[in-house]
Amino acid sequence: MRLICRAFLWTIILFASVQPAAADEGMWMPQQIPQLAQKLKTMGFQGDPKAFADLTGQPMGAVVSLGGCSASFVSPEGLIVTNHHCAVGALQYNSTPQKNLLVDGFLAKTRDEEISNGPGARVLVTQSVKDVTEAITGNIDPDVDDRQRHDTIDKRIKERTAACEAGGLRCQIASFFGGHKYFEIAQLEIQDIRTVYAPAEGIGNFGGETDNWRWPRHTGDWSFFRAYVGKDGKPAPYSKGNVPYRPSRWLKVQPAGLKSGDLVFVAGYPGRTQRHQTYSEVKETTEWSFPRTIKTYQEQIQILEELSKQGTDLEIKAASRLRGLNNTLTNRKGMLEGLVKGGILEKKKATEQELASWIAADPARSKQYGDVLTSLNALQAETEKTRDRDVVFAQLFSASPLLSAAQTAYLLSVEKAKSNDIDREAGYQERDWKRIRENQERLQRTLDARVDRVLLRYAMKFAAELPPDQRITGLDQQVGLRPGMTEAESGKAIQAYLDKLLATPKLADQAYRLSLLEKSTAEITALKDPLVDLVIALDPLYQENREARKRREGAYARLRPRYMQALLAKAGGLVAPDANSTLRVTFGQVKGVDSKDGLFWKPFTTLAGIEQKHTGEGEFDAPDRELEAIKALRAGEKTPYVSKEVEDVPVDFLSTVDTTGGNSGSPTLNGKGELVGLLFDGTFDTIASDFLYDTVRTRSIHVDVRYLLWTMAEVDGAGHLLSEMGVE
Amino acid sequence: MRLICRAFLWTIILFASVQPAAADEGMWMPQQIPQLAQKLKTMGFQGDPKAFADLTGQPMGAVVSLGGCSASFVSPEGLIVTNHHCAVGALQYNSTPQKNLLVDGFLAKTRDEEISNGPGARVLVTQSVKDVTEAITGNIDPDVDDRQRHDTIDKRIKERTAACEAGGLRCQIASFFGGHKYFEIAQLEIQDIRTVYAPAEGIGNFGGETDNWRWPRHTGDWSFFRAYVGKDGKPAPYSKGNVPYRPSRWLKVQPAGLKSGDLVFVAGYPGRTQRHQTYSEVKETTEWSFPRTIKTYQEQIQILEELSKQGTDLEIKAASRLRGLNNTLTNRKGMLEGLVKGGILEKKKATEQELASWIAADPARSKQYGDVLTSLNALQAETEKTRDRDVVFAQLFSASPLLSAAQTAYLLSVEKAKSNDIDREAGYQERDWKRIRENQERLQRTLDARVDRVLLRYAMKFAAELPPDQRITGLDQQVGLRPGMTEAESGKAIQAYLDKLLATPKLADQAYRLSLLEKSTAEITALKDPLVDLVIALDPLYQENREARKRREGAYARLRPRYMQALLAKAGGLVAPDANSTLRVTFGQVKGVDSKDGLFWKPFTTLAGIEQKHTGEGEFDAPDRELEAIKALRAGEKTPYVSKEVEDVPVDFLSTVDTTGGNSGSPTLNGKGELVGLLFDGTFDTIASDFLYDTVRTRSIHVDVRYLLWTMAEVDGAGHLLSEMGVE
């Protein structure tokens, strides 16, 4: 797992890349691919690069987003393949203490048996991408103040989004190169998604956290969904009577797989890279944010693991949060290790010095860019002034989905009161209401006040320890905290307060929670719900922070595009923008890597490794039926999925493609655009490539389509799905 | 580390091998090498294979034994190179809490600064090997009883040894192929050995226990001794006035090293392999001996680590024992894992079944060998009857060097009383007296009653729990133990007894301890020393066990040679005998290996790996001066020791040669017989090759001569030794 994009947000992306394209770096916009024809040719590509620029053609028309994960259609009847770890939410939604689909897996033998992924599940099919830079940023008075600049851009984005969505699609105005470019992306949003097949955890998550981000890897990280639409063929919420969606494009599965050195493409929705942050931004990440995240995540994991021991129901409820915390923890550790060991701070400093010299060397450039770095640094310094408070403030809401739900209801009531939709805050416009409601419905399965309680207590401990000039005043008043309290004193106050806050939280009741979404601010306030009271107490600081953010975003909108222009001008050549959760194509080759001195990671793993790693317990517990199938294979049972190169069924493989969180579930394609695997992870050593691409060591990890097909045929009895995909 | 031979004994070897020579299997007797000319040729050898059969020629004349380790002369002035871990005893002998040579390393700038390795240190130079099978086993009445057979062979061995040693050499009559063959080996025994140079622990033991038996490896496992003799050129005990020994042969160092695929030879003294134990013997090892050793060693390590925390002096005293325990523990774990995972028991069962069928298929064979397997199994079953008691009995003496010293003195007094040297037990003859004394002198530096106490208490706990029919009666009487005591009761009795036994042990005093070696049995008994009293109480069981062993050895002498004959006859072809601590030659090539699915171990490691692994603490703490030298190299400093193949200074390398414990320090030679490295370890995965050779995965680990030379030149300032070796 683990290229899921947990920070997936419909937001303005601030950073972008001008790294000259080296090795296989580049999460390319589809329309850039034809310009890379020469490079593709030298890598052995014989097809037409233009095919990748055609978003509705083959194969790009088959590539979809699940919002945080990527996926692809693999049959004319809306069958979708993605990663197993992208199906955890859906499996959890359908699990009970008696029947744990996460552990046992799931297979629908008929369409009727396919189970809803729950409200909020989505399949997004990109229909068009249009350059709207001029419409968003053109003709703004350069002397306007930052807050006004923010509002102008914000309003233009909202207006364009509304106009675009009038046609029934879901639209997004996405920023590229730090606001240097804007693109309008229109997507079909399918809303009735059902789970068709997921292997047992002993296959889909074989190796667990131990193997996460590691190689050699033996994870069968796949699952199958199906997209359903109304009888009229249009997207509709879940309904028994819906029918399978018939995509115009679906991928052909290539059962022959790949061999070492083969060219591969990966198409998907990478979340975010930061390859051109400024030195001061990377410095904060390296010296403050990541170390703090690592410390607090470790402690939260410990807290939740302790809590999970209290019962199976708690265990299921905590599972998804634990998996998310663990994944991010490993990621941040890897990033930090990479940043420190790779000396990225020093490199960044040198690059920035070069850029400054390059600007200073020419009067025209000095005039155009001379102030940019200083101003960006000043903005960074400003955010750092209150970062201790701000990170704890955010932690309160992430600790408690109940508190977060109360805030959502409160903010929604405030925004709903506005007569004009365009005046509403982003995320609270009419277009968002349904999603907000679905998220609150979906939340029910994982909600447990006991989880909120332990994590809120943990977060409030930090709030108690904040310095006098950075207090969260509203919280202090509610809880009775004061600077200088001893740990015992504050701990006692927090316990007493939490007893009151979470004794019988009404928000844990779905009907009550959903009813709040329909109430006015006055009605909500009048409820005197302790969680709402806390939200109201915290609101002044929330508002203050939002105002500050908007002003800063206005300033970034003034500065970042010029910074990027300077970088682009200095770099020259074709450059892939930083990832921003929009559709991208990356290509490279199947290739092992020298991982450490004396150690070579071979490009393929095989079934033999499952036999080697299997212990029969914990994270290395392959299902008996898989072990039997391997035994049968060893005894001479014929299968078309044995690779000549490795003389076994290949399981996972490495390639040089450039991916990041959000790419999880992306189809891996051969030169003919046929499905040969699924992207699902990157190697730990090169996580820091999100900040500075490592041209030698970066590797992505894919599950081999031959393992998928072999398991479906020989282990899980999913022959009907093989037939549906045209594989016999 | 770790191919030291800790079970090094001048004893009859019981087991031998008839595995058909596959891959690079074979610890060949030097005289067998010419018969392998064809194989050597196909491997690219262009020299004369007969060179390896000439024990006093080049290069074999330069290869020596240190008794437990191997080594070689590398200068005409007696300079010897071996492993760092073979110098631990010498370094420890010369260390104090103030000056820890183990940690800091040592370099004598002049001959005067070279320090004695202490009494008991030896260099043994093999002078001749003679087939004496007929003299030892010929003409014995087949109907003689087993005990008498033992005595006959024992007496013949003693007589021949005495005759051989009359010439001033050290002689050994060694058994090959389980007594099917005997060879008389005559060695020059040099007694004044001094330490010349050992790198710091951060080089010589870089990676410590963590990396022990592992790859990739970055250990600089070398040290240098010098052999001294009397002014007359003859071996003499340590004396200031002794002069460097001038060997007739010494190895030429080849600074160019090796590349992948190159042919390598290793000459040395491998201790022991068990490739042709019977099924029931391997079964006991797998199901009883190894699991017990693993459990008790782990517990003893824990006990000693706890004790070590009490002070630096205790830490130094426990260090060598801890190192030995850890090394054996890792070895046994690897063996057991290999035995179990490799399904060796089942393979053994099948092979034995085949042998039985082969014997049964022919009346002549039935007559000759028909009873052998059954009889060997019966002997095995007999030893198992009292194994619980016997292993605890042995553990008492290994737990306490003080108790062991008391026993040595007591047994020596008994044997000395015999008028005829030939009647004395092996190990207590005149030829052994000096060694016994030296061992007792040498012991002083590591002796600490507190160490004995904790390990004796641990051993006695087992004695307390023995079943009623396997009690150590003498111990029961001394300590006051009875079957069926609760743990609390026996623990209390043991504590009280140990208080008395080890309160002020006189045996910890060197003069007193040595004085016992001169006393008669009556005098020793009259001392009423508590440790001696315990020895006397234990003596009846000691005698009983010795008698039983002699009888069994007589039986094995009757059976094992026929078993081996059957195996040899069935296998046919040229076969290397099992290792028995005699001089052997093995050859193979420099080669990496697929260690696990998806993982390839490259054949060479480099300085880059030291930079990667260095943490600045614990087992991964490279000296500053080495890190600076690497920095200088990276900055462009020239050195002849960079390998083109790996573009760095190679550190360690893998080869397919067949080695085992005792091979530690063996010179690794290229096809011209030049020194290109030192053998020091094998990979964990293939430790079980001692029982059944793994033709695919077995690898030995060598330190590359280029790392040794680079370190001497650039890190440790040992230029004078480079000059002495003819390297500039």
Side-chain angles (χ1 to χ4, degrees):
Chain A
M1 35 199 130
R2 307 160 26 44
L3 292 183
I4 201 166
C5 180
R6 291 178 187 277
F8 187 78
L9 289 166
W10 308 97
T11 184
I12 297 169
I13 301 298
L14 299 175
F15 318 124
S17 163
V18 290
Q19 194 80 342
D24 299 323
E25 176 174 7
M27 304 178 191
W28 303 101
M29 297 172 74
Q31 61 265 41
Q32 291 180 304
I33 299 292
Q35 302 170 58
L36 293 155
Q38 193 47 46
K39 189 181 177 192
L40 278 167
K41 211 173 159 189
T42 63
M43 290 177 75
F45 182 61
Q46 296 177 349
D48 179 2
K50 288 198 199 79
F52 287 96
D54 180 2
L55 296 179
T56 55
Q58 195 73 14
M60 297 303 287
V63 181
V64 300
S65 168
L66 304 179
C69 275
S70 305
S72 54
F73 288 117
V74 285
S75 94
E77 303 205 58
L79 191 65
I80 288 168
V81 67
T82 186
N83 287 152
H84 180 266
H85 74 271
C86 296
V88 166
L91 294 169
Q92 195 174 18
Y93 180 79
N94 287 292
S95 286
T96 60
Q98 289 73 43
K99 196 178 167 192
N100 193 333
L101 304 190
L102 263 176
V103 173
D104 305 330
F106 174 78
L107 176 67
K109 289 277 181 192
T110 65
R111 297 277 154 90
D112 274 353
E113 289 177 20
E114 296 175 357
I115 46 178
S116 170
N117 287 5
R122 288 289 182 277
V123 165
L124 298 157
V125 193
T126 298
Q127 304 287 307
S128 67
V129 174
K130 210 182 287 176
D131 186 337
V132 293
T133 312
E134 185 54 29
I136 302 298
T137 63
N139 208 17
I140 298 180
D141 178 356
D143 293 332
V144 83
D145 76 19
D146 289 335
R147 175 56 204 265
Q148 215 175 322
R149 177 176 296 100
H150 167 271
D151 288 353
T152 304
I153 292 172
D154 187 53
K155 193 168 173 229
R156 288 178 179 181
I157 288 175
K158 284 173 180 161
E159 283 168 350
R160 272 215 75 96
T161 306
C164 172
E165 291 187 344
L169 295 172
R170 183 85 185 172
C171 299
Q172 175 199 10
I173 312 297
S175 154
F176 291 73
F177 295 118
H180 178 50
K181 291 278 176 192
Y182 280 90
F183 286 86
E184 178 187 277
I185 298 161
Q187 296 177 310
L188 184 72
E189 184 183 35
I190 305 175
Q191 300 158 43
D192 181 356
I193 317 302
R194 304 184 194 176
T195 298
V196 176
Y197 160 54
E201 197 174 27
I203 292 176
N205 192 25
F206 186 79
E209 286 308 318
T210 306
D211 275 6
N212 193 5
W213 308 98
R214 307 283 168 184
W215 191 259
R217 190 69 161 278
H218 297 86
T219 312
D221 201 347
W222 64 79
S223 63
F224 286 79
F225 295 158
R226 191 182 305 280
Y228 280 79
V229 288
K231 290 214 173 74
D232 60 356
K234 290 196 176 139
Y238 172 80
S239 158
K240 192 77 193 156
N242 282 347
V243 297
Y245 171 67
R246 299 190 65 86
S248 58
R249 305 289 175 181
W250 61 93
L251 298 177
K252 183 178 179 302
V253 174
Q254 179 47 263
L258 294 160
K259 55 183 197 319
S260 294
D262 278 359
L263 175 68
V264 284
F265 291 84
V266 166
Y269 291 79
R272 205 179 265 236
T273 52
Q274 289 87 16
R275 292 186 186 153
H276 276 280
Q277 288 199 332
T278 62
Y279 168 71
S280 60
E281 286 161 351
V282 180
K283 190 170 149 73
E284 188 191 36
T285 302
T286 309
E287 296 178 353
W288 188 78
S289 312
F290 280 2
R292 188 190 188 279
T293 303
I294 289 167
K295 178 179 177 291
T296 56
Y297 275 41
Q298 276 170 336
E299 290 172 356
Q300 289 180 76
I301 287 164
Q302 223 177 341
I303 289 168
L304 289 186
E305 282 177 345
E306 203 48 50
L307 191 73
S308 291
K309 289 181 192 154
Q310 297 178 16
T312 314
D313 60 327
L314 262 169
E315 201 182 329
I316 291 178
K317 296 224 161 118
S320 147
R321 290 180 81 170
L322 268 172
R323 206 155 163 165
L325 286 166
N326 271 314
N327 197 47
T328 305
L329 176 63
T330 312
N331 177 296
R332 293 299 182 269
K333 278 185 178 171
M335 289 234 197
L336 189 58
E337 197 179 304
L339 287 166
V340 173
K341 279 210 175 173
I344 290 180
L345 260 190
E346 292 77 58
K347 286 179 190 164
K348 196 51 107 178
K349 199 171 192 172
T351 317
E352 196 154 294
Q353 196 52 56
E354 263 175 50
L355 181 67
S357 305
W358 178 83
I359 293 171
D362 179 280
R365 292 201 288 255
S366 289
K367 197 175 165 213
Q368 204 179 348
Y369 311 121
D371 62 318
V372 164
L373 267 172
T374 321
S375 304
L376 283 174
N377 288 341
L379 275 176
Q380 175 61 24
E382 189 194 310
T383 65
E384 291 183 11
K385 272 189 202 153
T386 55
R387 66 184 177 190
D388 292 311
R389 182 193 68 191
D390 299 340
V391 75
V392 174
F393 191 74
Q395 198 184 330
L396 292 171
F397 294 96
S398 66
S400 172
L402 288 170
L403 182 63
S404 193
Q407 187 187 43
T408 299
Y410 180 78
L411 293 176
L412 183 62
S413 73
V414 172
E415 298 304 322
K416 268 188 171 172
K418 293 176 183 166
S419 52
N420 205 338
D421 193 52
I422 211 89
D423 294 332
R424 293 183 180 123
E425 294 290 336
Y428 293 91
Q429 294 183 278
E430 276 177 35
R431 68 193 290 270
D432 304 307
W433 295 356
K434 189 171 156 202
R435 180 182 297 270
I436 288 171
R437 192 180 173 84
E438 284 171 350
N439 285 346
Q440 291 302 325
E441 280 169 26
R442 198 180 169 75
L443 187 60
Q444 195 60 25
R445 293 288 176 121
T446 54
L447 211 51
D448 195 303
R450 291 168 294 181
V451 177
D452 285 40
R453 190 191 161 106
V454 292
L455 295 185
L456 260 185
R457 185 171 68 192
Y458 178 72
M460 286 183 181
K461 261 181 54 186
F462 285 97
E465 288 162 5
L466 285 170
D469 61 338
Q470 285 193 65
R471 300 299 293 184
I472 302 172
T473 323
L475 187 74
D476 282 353
Q477 287 163 355
Q478 288 279 310
V479 183
L481 297 174
R482 291 180 318 276
M485 269 179 145
T486 66
E487 211 181 308
E489 287 167 347
S490 63
K492 211 173 145 189
I494 292 167
Q495 289 278 26
Y497 177 72
L498 289 175
D499 283 346
K500 197 182 68 181
L501 185 75
L502 294 172
T504 50
K506 288 193 198 159
L507 274 145
D509 177 71
Q510 173 147 336
Y512 174 84
R513 196 169 64 249
L514 294 176
S515 75
L516 296 198
L517 301 177
E518 309 303 330
K519 291 201 184 335
S520 71
T521 310
E523 285 166 346
I524 292 178
T525 309
L527 289 170
K528 291 285 164 206
D529 185 300
L531 283 156
V532 175
D533 289 350
L534 178 55
V535 165
I536 293 170
L538 295 172
D539 199 54
L541 181 56
Y542 176 80
Q543 300 295 338
E544 184 187 323
N545 280 349
R546 188 166 69 187
E547 286 307 296
R549 179 179 54 75
K550 285 182 178 178
R551 195 180 42 69
R552 275 203 301 272
E553 277 177 9
Y556 278 121
R558 172 168 52 85
L559 297 164
R560 190 86 63 178
R562 284 199 290 142
Y563 171 69
M564 290 307 308
Q565 275 169 38
L567 282 176
L568 287 166
K570 180 168 178 289
L574 185 62
V575 170
D578 256 315
N580 62 352
S581 297
T582 62
L583 183 56
R584 302 296 179 91
V585 177
T586 169
F587 53 88
Q589 60 180 163
V590 178
K591 200 174 172 185
V593 65
D594 284 334
S595 75
K596 276 183 189 151
D597 184 46
L599 216 55
F600 177 71
W601 285 347
K602 299 170 80 175
F604 289 97
T605 59
T606 69
L607 293 181
I610 294 172
E611 295 175 286
Q612 288 167 12
K613 286 182 177 177
H614 175 78
T615 60
E617 53 187 39
E619 296 173 324
F620 297 92
D621 189 13
D624 290 344
R625 58 182 187 276
E626 178 173 34
L627 297 174
E628 277 155 29
I630 296 175
K631 221 171 177 180
L633 179 71
R634 303 286 181 249
E637 177 117 347
K638 291 276 172 257
T639 164
Y641 306 122
V642 165
S643 142
K644 272 188 196 158
E645 180 180 351
V646 297
E647 295 177 333
D648 198 349
V649 175
V651 171
D652 295 337
F653 65 88
L654 293 175
S655 84
T656 62
V657 297
D658 184 10
T659 59
T660 189
N663 265 126
S664 274
S666 294
T668 307
L669 310 169
N670 65 12
K672 292 177 181 164
E674 297 165 334
L675 187 80
V676 288
L678 298 176
L679 190 284
F680 73 99
D681 205 357
T683 57
F684 184 76
D685 289 346
T686 53
I687 296 178
S689 272
D690 277 5
F691 284 86
L692 193 65
Y693 187 86
D694 182 333
T695 55
V696 176
R697 300 172 73 209
T698 300
R699 289 295 181 278
S700 291
I701 306 179
H702 313 247
V703 61
D704 194 294
V705 77
R706 287 166 289 191
Y707 183 41
L708 183 155
L709 298 174
W710 177 82
T711 305
M712 291 175 80
E714 306 296 335
V715 180
D716 282 342
H720 58 299
L721 298 178
L722 293 177
S723 302
E724 186 179 337
M725 293 190 288
V727 179
E728 288 313 311
Chain B
M1 19 174 162
R2 312 20 175 150
L3 292 184
I4 201 166
C5 181
R6 291 181 185 278
F8 187 79
L9 290 166
W10 308 97
T11 184
I12 296 170
I13 300 299
L14 298 176
F15 318 124
S17 163
V18 290
Q19 193 80 345
D24 300 323
E25 177 174 7
M27 304 178 192
W28 303 101
M29 297 173 72
Q31 61 265 40
Q32 291 179 305
I33 298 293
Q35 300 170 60
L36 293 155
Q38 193 48 46
K39 189 181 177 194
L40 277 167
K41 211 175 159 187
T42 64
M43 291 178 74
F45 182 62
Q46 296 177 350
D48 180 3
K50 288 196 200 80
F52 287 95
D54 179 2
L55 296 179
T56 54
Q58 194 73 16
M60 297 302 287
V63 181
V64 301
S65 167
L66 305 178
C69 276
S70 304
S72 55
F73 287 117
V74 286
S75 92
E77 302 205 60
L79 190 65
I80 288 168
V81 68
T82 184
N83 286 153
H84 179 265
H85 74 271
C86 296
V88 167
L91 294 170
Q92 193 173 20
Y93 180 80
N94 287 292
S95 286
T96 61
Q98 289 73 43
K99 197 179 169 190
N100 192 333
L101 303 190
L102 262 177
V103 173
D104 304 330
F106 174 77
L107 177 67
K109 289 279 182 193
T110 64
R111 297 276 154 90
D112 274 353
E113 289 176 19
E114 296 175 359
I115 47 179
S116 169
N117 288 4
R122 289 291 183 275
V123 164
L124 298 156
V125 193
T126 299
Q127 305 286 306
S128 67
V129 174
K130 210 183 287 178
D131 187 337
V132 294
T133 311
E134 185 54 29
I136 301 299
T137 63
N139 209 17
I140 298 182
D141 178 357
D143 295 331
V144 83
D145 75 19
D146 289 334
R147 174 56 204 264
Q148 215 175 322
R149 178 177 298 99
H150 167 271
D151 288 352
T152 305
I153 292 174
D154 187 55
K155 192 167 173 227
R156 288 177 178 180
I157 287 176
K158 284 174 180 160
E159 283 168 351
R160 273 216 74 98
T161 306
C164 173
E165 291 187 344
L169 296 172
R170 184 85 186 173
C171 299
Q172 173 197 10
I173 312 298
S175 153
F176 291 74
F177 296 117
H180 177 52
K181 291 278 174 190
Y182 282 89
F183 287 85
E184 178 187 277
I185 298 160
Q187 296 177 309
L188 183 72
E189 184 182 36
I190 306 175
Q191 300 160 43
D192 180 356
I193 319 301
R194 304 184 193 175
T195 298
V196 177
Y197 159 54
E201 197 174 26
I203 292 176
N205 192 24
F206 186 78
E209 286 309 318
T210 306
D211 275 5
N212 194 5
W213 307 96
R214 307 282 169 183
W215 189 260
R217 193 67 162 278
H218 297 86
T219 311
D221 201 346
W222 65 77
S223 62
F224 286 80
F225 295 159
R226 191 182 304 281
Y228 280 79
V229 288
K231 289 215 174 71
D232 60 357
K234 289 198 177 140
Y238 172 80
S239 157
K240 192 77 192 154
N242 282 348
V243 296
Y245 171 68
R246 300 189 65 86
S248 59
R249 304 289 174 181
W250 61 93
L251 297 178
K252 183 180 177 302
V253 174
Q254 179 46 264
L258 295 160
K259 56 184 195 319
S260 294
D262 278 359
L263 175 69
V264 283
F265 291 83
V266 165
Y269 291 79
R272 205 178 265 235
T273 52
Q274 288 87 17
R275 291 187 187 151
H276 277 279
Q277 287 199 334
T278 63
Y279 168 71
S280 61
E281 286 162 350
V282 179
K283 191 169 148 73
E284 187 191 37
T285 302
T286 309
E287 296 178 355
W288 188 80
S289 311
F290 280 2
R292 187 189 190 280
T293 303
I294 290 168
K295 178 179 177 291
T296 55
Y297 275 42
Q298 277 170 335
E299 291 172 353
Q300 289 180 76
I301 286 165
Q302 223 177 341
I303 289 168
L304 288 187
E305 282 177 347
E306 203 50 49
L307 191 73
S308 290
K309 290 181 191 154
Q310 295 177 17
T312 313
D313 60 328
L314 261 169
E315 201 182 329
I316 291 177
K317 295 216 163 127
S320 148
R321 289 180 82 170
L322 268 173
R323 206 157 163 163
L325 286 166
N326 271 313
N327 196 50
T328 305
L329 176 64
T330 311
N331 178 296
R332 292 300 182 268
K333 278 186 177 172
M335 290 233 195
L336 189 57
E337 197 180 305
L339 287 166
V340 172
K341 280 211 174 172
I344 290 180
L345 260 190
E346 293 78 57
K347 287 180 190 164
K348 195 54 107 181
K349 198 170 193 174
T351 317
E352 197 152 296
Q353 197 52 55
E354 263 176 50
L355 182 67
S357 306
W358 178 83
I359 292 170
D362 179 280
R365 292 202 288 254
S366 290
K367 195 176 168 213
Q368 204 178 349
Y369 312 122
D371 63 317
V372 164
L373 266 172
T374 322
S375 304
L376 282 173
N377 288 341
L379 274 176
Q380 175 62 22
E382 189 194 311
T383 65
E384 290 182 12
K385 272 188 202 155
T386 55
R387 66 184 177 190
D388 293 311
R389 181 193 69 192
D390 298 340
V391 75
V392 175
F393 191 74
Q395 198 184 329
L396 293 171
F397 294 97
S398 66
S400 171
L402 288 169
L403 181 63
S404 190
Q407 187 188 41
T408 299
Y410 180 79
L411 293 175
L412 183 62
S413 73
V414 172
E415 299 304 323
K416 268 188 170 172
K418 294 175 182 167
S419 53
N420 204 338
D421 193 52
I422 211 85
D423 294 332
R424 294 182 179 125
E425 294 291 336
Y428 293 90
Q429 295 183 277
E430 275 178 36
R431 67 194 288 272
D432 304 306
W433 295 357
K434 188 171 157 203
R435 180 183 298 271
I436 288 171
R437 191 181 173 84
E438 283 171 349
N439 285 346
Q440 291 302 325
E441 280 170 24
R442 199 179 167 75
L443 187 60
Q444 194 61 27
R445 293 289 175 119
T446 53
L447 211 51
D448 195 303
R450 292 168 294 181
V451 176
D452 286 38
R453 190 191 161 109
V454 291
L455 295 185
L456 260 184
R457 185 171 66 189
Y458 177 73
M460 287 182 180
K461 259 181 56 185
F462 286 96
E465 289 161 6
L466 284 170
D469 62 338
Q470 285 193 64
R471 301 297 294 185
I472 303 172
T473 324
L475 186 72
D476 284 351
Q477 287 164 353
Q478 288 280 308
V479 182
L481 297 175
R482 292 181 316 276
M485 267 180 148
T486 67
E487 210 182 308
E489 287 167 346
S490 63
K492 210 172 145 189
I494 290 167
Q495 287 280 23
Y497 177 71
L498 288 176
D499 283 345
K500 196 182 70 181
L501 185 75
L502 293 173
T504 48
K506 287 193 197 160
L507 273 145
D509 177 72
Q510 172 146 337
Y512 175 83
R513 195 169 65 247
L514 294 176
S515 75
L516 297 198
L517 302 177
E518 309 304 329
K519 292 199 182 339
S520 71
T521 308
E523 285 166 345
I524 290 179
T525 308
L527 288 171
K528 291 287 165 204
D529 185 300
L531 284 157
V532 175
D533 289 351
L534 178 55
V535 165
I536 293 169
L538 295 172
D539 200 55
L541 181 54
Y542 177 80
Q543 300 294 340
E544 184 187 324
N545 281 349
R546 188 166 70 188
E547 286 307 297
R549 177 177 57 74
K550 285 182 178 178
R551 196 181 39 71
R552 274 202 300 272
E553 277 177 8
Y556 279 121
R558 171 169 53 84
L559 296 165
R560 189 85 65 178
R562 284 199 292 141
Y563 170 70
M564 289 308 307
Q565 274 168 41
L567 281 175
L568 287 166
K570 181 169 177 290
L574 185 63
V575 169
D578 255 316
N580 63 350
S581 298
T582 62
L583 183 56
R584 301 295 178 91
V585 178
T586 168
F587 53 89
Q589 60 180 162
V590 178
K591 201 174 171 184
V593 66
D594 283 334
S595 74
K596 277 185 189 149
D597 184 46
L599 217 54
F600 177 70
W601 285 347
K602 300 171 79 175
F604 288 98
T605 59
T606 69
L607 293 181
I610 294 172
E611 295 175 286
Q612 288 166 13
K613 286 182 177 177
H614 174 78
T615 60
E617 52 188 39
E619 296 173 325
F620 296 91
D621 189 12
D624 290 343
R625 59 182 188 276
E626 178 173 33
L627 297 174
E628 277 155 29
I630 296 176
K631 220 171 177 180
L633 179 70
R634 302 287 181 247
E637 178 117 348
K638 292 273 170 262
T639 164
Y641 305 122
V642 165
S643 143
K644 270 188 199 162
E645 181 181 351
V646 297
E647 295 178 331
D648 199 349
V649 174
V651 171
D652 294 338
F653 65 89
L654 293 174
S655 84
T656 62
V657 298
D658 185 10
T659 59
T660 190
N663 264 127
S664 273
S666 293
T668 308
L669 309 169
N670 64 13
K672 293 178 181 163
E674 297 164 332
L675 186 79
V676 287
L678 298 176
L679 190 286
F680 72 99
D681 205 356
T683 58
F684 185 76
D685 289 346
T686 53
I687 295 177
S689 272
D690 276 7
F691 285 85
L692 192 65
Y693 186 87
D694 181 334
T695 56
V696 175
R697 299 172 75 210
T698 300
R699 290 295 180 279
S700 291
I701 306 179
H702 313 248
V703 61
D704 194 295
V705 77
R706 287 165 289 191
Y707 182 41
L708 183 156
L709 298 175
W710 177 82
T711 305
M712 292 176 80
E714 306 296 335
V715 180
D716 282 342
H720 58 298
L721 297 178
L722 294 177
S723 302
E724 185 179 340
M725 292 190 287
V727 179
E728 287 315 312

